[in-house]
Amino acid sequence: MAIYFEEPSRTFNEYLLVPGYTSNHHIPENVTLATPLTKYRRGEEQPAISLQIPMISAIMQAVSDDNMAIALAREGGMSFIYGSQTIEDQAAMVARVKDYKAGFVTSDANLSPEMTLKDVIALRDTLGHSTMPVTEGGRAHGKLLGIVTSRDYRLSRMDTTEKVSSFMTPVEKMIVAPADTTLKTANDIIWEHKLNSLPVVDDQGCLLYLVFRKDYDSHKSNPQELLDTHKRYMVGAGINTRDYAQRVPALVEAGADVLCIDSSEGYSDWQKFTLQWIREHYGNTVKVGAGNVVDAEGFRFLADAGADFIKIGIGGGSICITREQKGIGRGQATATIEVARARDEYFKETGVYIPLCSDGGIVYDHHITLALAMGADFVMLGRYFARFDESPTNRVNVNGSYMKEYWGEGSARARNWQRYDLGGDKKGMTFEEGVDSYVPYAGSLHDNVAVTLAKVKSTMCNCGAVSIPELQEKAKLTVISSTSIIEGGAHDVVLKDKSNYGSSSI
Ligand code: RVP
């Protein structure tokens, strides 16, 4: 006979935290958000990898490339580079994160001298910044010919057909630095010559990096950075249950710090086989998460199979239509609560604490706090990060508003048939489980994460907690009625500025 879960399947929106006692010790400055990423014997040892903030970015083409990984590691979180690409391309992204020299930026678009002012304006609007190097043929590592900044052109005085070569600052008039320049020296040069940016070139004069004045400052003000023992940024990578024998060695070789099996449904033999293969070939030296699951049985299966962390969530992602298409899934709050109970039982039995990740369905900043209070150790976010400058997609103007594109890994666009496999060849994916969409452009990752975490810390203080484990222990949660949801927003008043309202939805 079929099993019925009598408890309705609830979402984060149906819960609130009831405040606890706040002492004068419970202030945001005292809150630490450090949290374990991989399993460990709690009380006896430290986890091999911990995050400084409880946020990781989704294993998705529209979210997690090397650029995102660097920006998020700088804040203390971690990206999992998407696996729906060739092994070589994914390994190259991982390697770029590991090779990244803080403060040295690889230019994301170069101009060629033949381009026009019109091209410059279009590129500036897409990229969101106005300093662009000019190289031979516009190539990424081409010979440096000059630079264009907002000071080099005036739209009111110039024709948009004017060629870049006629208004750029030519390389002869620029200060450039050689390849072996340290960040300290670069900053001294920037300071001494009152520059905003300094190009670094090789001995052929080809462009390697740009060092920006503001980057050096921000580097200095990021004490939370997530670094490995060689002081390189940490990065994760998604894998699938098909080509692991080739993909895992390439990713390990490239320097990935942790892997995660990326699947919409993780309670399967395919995940067990993948974990077994990794243990056989690497023992415990390669850390790997698994998922996704939404109940105690699924958790126990992946815990016994050897997962280092376990991801929760089926069908709750903003771009995900798995529930509509296949009728499987569970409300994200209910799933998190049940899996966390199973994890705590497992810990009592074995002494091993397996960190949990609540993946998908975070719509408001406070949903992060709810997920943590319910027992998650960190959350995975897709839509949230897709909106930022650092995500892999271009900013586009849609009816006068800036947007970023965001599509599901199960959409035809991602053609990620591996993620939805049940073994066998699924190249001919017959139906989609994700949509292709826009999300409102929201600016820089740094600024947005700061606001989000300020809210998380503030709520933790209201609950009398200065750490995530303390929050999990002390949290008091209440289910709310639909009318109390209305009561929780601005109501029964005439808003002066509707455009600002709802901005708390992230
Ligand atoms: P969200 O943060 O709500 O945008 O959700 C992101 C999550 O959605 C991902 O981490 C993944 O688990 C899930 N996802 C990604 N693609 C798809 C799909 O196409 N159905 N779902």
Side-chain angles (χ1 to χ4, degrees):
M1 191 181 147
I3 290 173
Y4 287 89
F5 292 90
E6 296 300 341
E7 169 74 9
S9 190
R10 295 191 189 278
T11 62
F12 291 130
N13 243 6
E14 293 171 83
Y15 283 89
L16 283 179
L17 281 152
V18 176
Y21 167 61
T22 307
S23 78
N24 63 4
H25 168 65
H26 295 116
I27 53 170
E29 295 86 275
N30 288 342
V31 174
T32 166
L33 294 174
T35 192
L37 179 71
T38 53
K39 70 181 176 193
Y40 67 112
R41 293 196 158 270
R42 201 182 229 182
E44 292 175 32
E45 61 181 12
Q46 292 301 314
I49 306 176
S50 291
L51 303 167
Q52 300 285 1
I53 61 170
M55 299 169 91
I56 61 176
S57 70
I59 312 171
M60 298 175 74
Q61 293 174 356
V63 181
S64 297
D65 65 355
D66 44 319
N67 208 25
M68 175 63 70
I70 290 163
L72 186 50
R74 191 178 282 150
E75 302 301 322
M78 190 187 278
S79 289
F80 282 77
I81 305 280
Y82 62 91
S84 52
Q85 59 179 327
T86 66
I87 295 171
E88 295 70 32
D89 288 350
Q90 190 188 15
M93 280 191 184
V94 169
R96 282 202 291 277
V97 180
K98 300 310 286 186
D99 292 343
Y100 178 74
K101 290 165 65 184
F104 290 78
V105 177
T106 316
S107 170
D108 44 7
N110 295 337
L111 301 169
S112 74
E114 297 76 34
M115 287 167 109
T116 61
L117 178 56
K118 193 170 168 215
D119 298 323
V120 172
I121 302 301
L123 211 55
R124 181 197 65 185
D125 288 349
T126 310
L127 299 171
H129 60 76
S130 52
T131 299
M132 292 170 237
V134 185
T135 58
E136 217 166 52
R139 284 189 298 277
H141 297 295
K143 196 170 171 50
L144 183 69
L145 302 175
I147 199 158
V148 171
T149 72
S150 54
R151 280 184 278 182
D152 292 312
Y153 54 88
R154 270 287 162 280
L155 276 175
S156 55
R157 286 167 169 264
M158 288 163 62
D159 201 295
T160 52
T161 57
E162 268 195 51
K163 291 247 183 318
V164 164
S165 53
S166 71
F167 62 88
M168 69 183 189
T169 303
V171 70
E172 302 77 46
K173 292 196 178 162
M174 290 164 59
I175 293 168
V176 298
D180 59 358
T181 307
T182 63
L183 190 56
K184 162 130 193 16
T185 311
N187 193 55
D188 290 345
I189 299 171
I190 286 172
W191 182 249
E192 200 178 313
H193 297 274
K194 296 186 170 52
L195 305 174
N196 279 321
S197 66
L198 174 72
V200 177
V201 295
D202 65 15
D203 34 356
Q204 313 296 314
C206 294
L207 180 66
L208 294 172
Y209 307 104
L210 292 170
V211 179
F212 290 93
R213 174 191 289 265
K214 65 177 184 327
D215 274 358
Y216 184 72
D217 292 344
S218 70
H219 172 61
K220 279 175 71 173
S221 62
N222 277 300
Q224 295 276 73
E225 292 178 314
L226 196 64
L227 301 172
D228 65 18
T229 49
H230 302 288
K231 297 221 174 319
R232 302 174 304 180
Y233 283 137
M234 294 187 101
V235 61
I239 58 170
N240 62 68
T241 55
R242 301 166 63 85
D243 63 13
Y244 50 83
Q246 293 80 41
R247 194 173 291 266
V248 171
L251 294 172
V252 171
E253 172 72 24
D257 295 281
V258 55
L259 308 174
C260 184
I261 308 173
D262 180 30
S263 170
S264 63
E265 212 288 275
Y267 185 7
S268 77
D269 263 348
W270 315 112
Q271 297 235 340
K272 189 166 98 181
F273 299 154
T274 308
L275 290 164
Q276 272 170 355
W277 187 91
I278 292 175
R279 295 295 171 239
E280 272 161 30
H281 289 79
Y282 295 94
N284 285 324
T285 57
V286 168
K287 303 294 176 193
V288 53
N292 288 6
V293 295
V294 287
D295 71 355
E297 263 181 50
F299 168 83
R300 183 54 80 140
F301 177 83
L302 291 179
D304 289 342
D308 283 296
F309 66 89
I310 291 175
K311 248 174 356 102
I312 306 163
I314 296 180
S318 56
I319 33 51
C320 181
I321 51 171
T322 294
R323 292 186 199 166
E324 278 175 15
Q325 293 283 61
K326 292 175 61 180
I328 61 161
R330 203 171 194 191
Q332 191 63 16
T334 302
T336 304
I337 293 166
E338 182 175 318
V339 174
R341 280 195 190 124
R343 184 270 314 278
D344 293 347
E345 271 167 33
Y346 186 87
F347 173 58
K348 269 193 212 127
E349 274 170 48
T350 63
V352 176
Y353 184 86
I354 302 185
L356 296 177
C357 172
S358 176
D359 174 15
I362 299 287
V363 180
Y364 293 92
D365 290 315
H366 78 261
H367 287 173
I368 298 176
T369 326
L370 285 170
L372 299 173
M374 288 170 183
D377 297 275
F378 50 97
V379 295
M380 176 173 264
L381 307 115
R383 189 181 65 95
Y384 178 86
F385 288 114
R387 302 168 306 145
F388 303 152
D389 289 320
E390 294 82 355
S391 77
T393 63
N394 286 333
R395 202 171 64 153
V396 285
N397 190 325
V398 182
N399 302 329
S401 302
Y402 280 124
M403 298 278 167
K404 297 263 285 187
E405 287 184 293
Y406 179 45
W407 60 95
E409 289 293 289
S411 67
R413 178 160 182 187
R415 281 195 208 93
N416 185 9
W417 47 271
Q418 285 139 317
R419 189 167 191 275
Y420 292 83
D421 68 354
L422 295 166
D425 190 343
K426 291 273 284 185
K427 267 186 190 159
M429 185 176 80
T430 49
F431 60 91
E432 291 180 69
E433 291 188 46
V435 297
D436 191 355
S437 68
Y438 291 119
V439 286
Y441 165 70
S444 83
L445 181 144
H446 174 77
D447 293 349
N448 282 276
V449 166
V451 173
T452 297
L453 295 182
K455 290 189 206 170
V456 172
K457 286 181 177 179
S458 173
T459 310
M460 285 172 66
C461 292
N462 296 147
C463 296
V466 289
S467 70
I468 293 170
E470 197 178 4
L471 175 70
Q472 290 167 346
E473 203 185 299
K474 291 188 172 171
K476 295 184 282 183
L477 291 138
T478 180
V479 173
I480 54 178
S481 68
S482 45
T483 51
S484 69
I485 296 176
I486 298 168
E487 188 185 58
H491 62 91
D492 301 301
V493 292
V494 180
L495 287 175
K496 290 186 180 167
D497 184 359
K498 280 197 185 125
S499 65
N500 268 340
Y501 189 60
S503 58
S504 56
S505 151
I506 51 174

